[in-house]
Amino acid sequence: MARGIAFDDGVGRVFQTPVARRPSLQVLHALPEGLRRQVHLADQQDAFRSSDALRIAVGLPGLQWQRVHEVIGRGALHFGLTAARHAKAVSRAHPVIIIGTGRDIHALRPEGLGAYVPPASVTLIEAGRRNDILWTAEQALAAKARAIVLIQIDQGPTLSESRSLQIAAEQGGSLGIILISRQARSSACQTRWDCRPVPSGWDWTVVKNKTGPVGQWRIRAGPEGQMLDPIPLSRLATKINPPAHEPTTHSSSVVSLPPPGSSPAVARPSP
């Protein structure tokens, strides 16, 4: 039986829509009081241009606003919340919306979210099915809230699904980040990141970028949890395994060939 869509405004107030009835765009605005308040703040305190890119760290490709991005790997949620933290640092007016199934939404705790963003600024939306997640994500991206929308799904969006999300992000001036737990597919997303934990931090790899560079970086945290400047993995590999010098060709290995038109002869090494 189809489930409704539940809204959690981050401070314990949960709103449940009727079963088999999707909320309209107006309902999405009106139900969570926290989200409605943040939409107003965004209108009054617009501190960025939607064409700008969100810079998580120096040296990393930016996440362009009005676009949708994909993240795969075990560190996908960490990446998405880190991006949300940097957006909130630029302007507290950006609401953070997290959309997923009950399993994913219920796994989030205020204590964990608080390490990235104020829990009261997060709106959690629980959807029962994949189609509901994607539909709700479109509404959130297009709602002109200038939000950071984290979309938790198992399989990446198809080309058609990603195009719909992309159009919604352009309409609302929002930033969408799709957190894929299993496998990505061919899509229209702006960038794709592969984020995996390592003993010394995180390895972030940009495997797709429509408008910028790709590459790999080691992400480390400082003694107080702050993000240190990323280190390109190519630089680390150079330090660990310096490139070997190519062998120099010795003169005795040069073979002399007979001049054209001469009788065939066995090629001998030059003296």
Side-chain angles (χ1 to χ4, degrees):
M1 184 167 129
R3 299 176 55 187
I5 299 177
F7 298 85
D8 185 338
D9 65 358
V11 291
R13 292 173 294 188
V14 179
F15 306 86
Q16 184 78 36
T17 64
V19 174
R21 177 184 173 188
R22 289 176 171 174
S24 65
L25 181 58
Q26 290 75 19
V27 173
L28 182 63
H29 273 168
L31 277 180
E33 179 66 25
L35 177 58
R36 185 173 62 208
R37 182 175 63 254
Q38 291 158 21
V39 170
H40 175 71
L41 284 173
D43 290 337
Q44 299 298 323
Q45 303 175 12
D46 188 2
F48 78 108
R49 299 192 312 272
S50 294
S51 59
D52 288 345
L54 175 62
R55 299 289 177 181
I56 299 179
V58 177
L60 291 180
L63 299 176
Q64 190 173 351
W65 289 91
Q66 296 182 301
R67 295 293 184 272
V68 176
H69 308 265
E70 291 179 327
V71 191
I72 59 176
R74 291 171 55 195
L77 181 59
H78 168 71
F79 178 93
L81 291 174
T82 300
R85 178 177 62 192
H86 282 77
K88 297 292 286 185
V90 173
S91 171
R92 66 187 181 92
H94 299 307
V96 179
I97 303 174
I98 305 178
I99 306 168
T101 62
R103 177 195 60 194
D104 294 326
I105 296 301
H106 295 166
L108 300 173
R109 294 290 182 269
E111 297 82 1
L113 291 174
Y116 300 90
V117 294
S121 68
V122 180
T123 299
L124 303 177
I125 302 179
E126 176 187 339
R129 301 176 303 175
R130 173 188 172 87
N131 289 341
D132 289 335
I133 293 174
L134 294 173
W135 180 89
T136 307
E138 286 186 35
Q139 306 308 306
L141 288 169
K144 298 188 183 301
R146 302 183 179 94
I148 303 289
V149 182
L150 306 184
I151 308 156
Q152 296 183 286
I153 55 178
D154 53 357
Q155 298 288 340
T158 63
L159 189 59
S160 176
E161 292 168 343
S162 59
R163 283 174 175 167
S164 297
L165 294 171
Q166 187 75 30
I167 293 172
E170 293 175 1
Q171 292 174 346
S174 301
L175 175 64
I177 302 178
I178 305 175
L179 311 178
I180 302 171
S181 60
R182 293 185 182 177
Q183 184 178 9
R185 293 186 278 194
S186 178
S187 73
C189 294
Q190 187 79 7
T191 64
R192 179 179 296 158
W193 300 67
D194 187 349
C195 302
R196 302 181 183 276
V198 294
S200 59
W202 305 84
D203 282 352
W204 288 2
T205 304
V206 181
V207 296
K208 169 188 173 182
N209 192 347
K210 288 187 174 181
T211 59
V214 297
Q216 292 180 296
W217 292 268
R218 175 68 47 83
I219 308 299
R220 302 164 301 149
E224 298 181 0
Q226 75 277 18
M227 179 183 291
L228 302 178
D229 289 343
I231 301 177
L233 288 184
S234 58
R235 186 188 306 172
L236 288 177
T238 301
K239 291 181 179 179
I240 298 174
N241 300 312
H245 295 288
E246 294 186 3
T248 304
T249 303
H250 195 271
S251 59
S252 61
S253 63
V254 178
V255 175
S256 300
L257 298 179
S262 61
S263 59
V266 177
R268 299 179 180 277
S270 60

